[in-house]
Amino acid sequence: MVERLREHVESAGLRSGDRLPSERDLAERLGVSRASIKQAILVLEVQGLVEIRHGGGTYLRTDTLTAEPVSTLVERQRRLPDVLDAREAMESKLAELAALRRTEQDLAEIDSALEAMRAEIAEGLLGEEGDRRFHAAVTASAHSALLAEFMSGIAERIAESRRESLQQPDRPSQSLTQHTRIAEAIRAQDTQAAREAMRAHLVTVSRVRLLSWTPEDE
């Protein structure tokens, strides 16, 4: 059903920002049930390809609806909570240590990462590379070789959680604001504020549509 919906969007010439026809209209045009349309739209929402605005319809967030298989989503949903737990445990401590040990060079790299993310968002991107650089800069600022090694070991999973978070509506700008708070605490050498700001940020990172999605109920 997702593939048929993708083909319809392509043939209709719809692009990012355009509103999809109603579920009723799509069901009639494609000759399927509204339940099938609803299920397909929810799968697309989980992947950040469409945005469902309550009372306002469904809008495309990309020019094409190239979706992952549901089985891939289910597997990512299964492993994501463990990744988020690990990130909160390690990165909160890393922020605390960064506030204690950071150098002027470390601060310069943190600032550079923030600017990179800000520029990406201004261009309409998610800010993934700037986000990656920021968290890497905080890790480096902690000057803890073993914690850095642990972070490197789960880098691929962290990247996955990063994209999952940043594809949520309005999340890139929210994350940039939270990164700025973390950076300010590190600069001020306020270890408690840095730890709490990072923890608050990672709580936000954990708020993704994928974790509230129940395939069996769709």
Side-chain angles (χ1 to χ4, degrees):
M1 189 63 247
V2 171
E3 179 60 22
R4 291 187 62 186
L5 190 55
R6 184 196 66 76
E7 291 173 353
H8 173 76
V9 165
E10 184 176 320
S11 65
L14 298 178
R15 292 292 181 266
S16 178
D18 290 342
R19 181 176 177 175
L20 285 177
S22 68
E23 291 177 6
R24 183 191 300 275
D25 286 345
L26 285 170
E28 291 177 354
R29 295 181 192 187
L30 299 181
V32 298
S33 68
R34 288 183 66 180
S36 295
I37 294 295
K38 179 179 177 62
Q39 179 179 1
I41 288 175
L42 287 173
V43 168
L44 294 171
E45 183 203 16
V46 167
Q47 297 182 60
L49 299 176
V50 302
E51 179 182 356
I52 300 174
R53 301 176 186 173
H54 298 292
T58 301
Y59 292 79
L60 296 176
R61 298 186 65 204
T62 61
D63 289 336
T64 59
L65 296 181
T66 304
E68 297 174 288
V70 170
S71 59
T72 301
L73 295 178
V74 171
E75 176 59 23
R76 190 159 72 247
Q77 184 188 59
R78 182 193 64 77
R79 62 177 175 258
L80 188 56
D82 284 346
V83 177
L84 293 169
D85 285 346
R87 288 194 65 181
E88 182 177 346
M90 289 194 288
E91 293 194 65
S92 295
K93 184 62 178 179
L94 284 164
E96 177 184 343
L97 292 175
L100 185 66
R101 302 171 178 173
R102 93 291 187 278
T103 66
E104 289 302 315
Q105 184 176 349
D106 292 329
L107 292 175
E109 181 53 38
I110 288 173
D111 289 342
S112 178
L114 289 173
E115 284 303 316
M117 188 174 184
R118 186 173 293 110
E120 287 179 84
I121 294 172
E123 293 176 10
L125 303 174
L126 296 180
E128 287 182 82
E129 178 58 18
D131 187 295
R132 183 199 66 77
R133 284 183 55 187
F134 175 79
H135 286 277
V138 172
T139 296
S141 300
H143 297 280
S144 171
L146 191 55
L147 281 176
E149 183 179 336
F150 290 156
M151 290 292 289
S152 177
I154 60 170
E156 185 177 339
R157 294 292 179 246
I158 289 175
E160 188 176 75
S161 69
R162 172 180 297 114
R163 179 161 185 80
E164 199 71 50
S165 174
L166 289 174
Q167 72 181 8
Q168 306 303 304
D170 302 319
R171 184 62 57 78
S173 59
Q174 186 179 15
S175 286
L176 179 60
T177 297
Q178 293 177 340
H179 285 177
T180 301
R181 292 196 189 104
I182 296 166
E184 289 170 349
I186 291 173
R187 185 180 300 277
Q189 295 191 295
D190 188 332
T191 56
Q192 181 177 348
R195 181 179 65 250
E196 291 177 354
M198 180 64 82
R199 181 172 289 117
H201 170 56
L202 292 170
V203 168
T204 297
V205 170
S206 72
R207 293 177 182 146
V208 295
R209 179 67 177 88
L210 180 63
L211 293 181
S212 64
W213 174 59
T214 308
E216 295 83 359
D217 293 340
E218 303 301 334

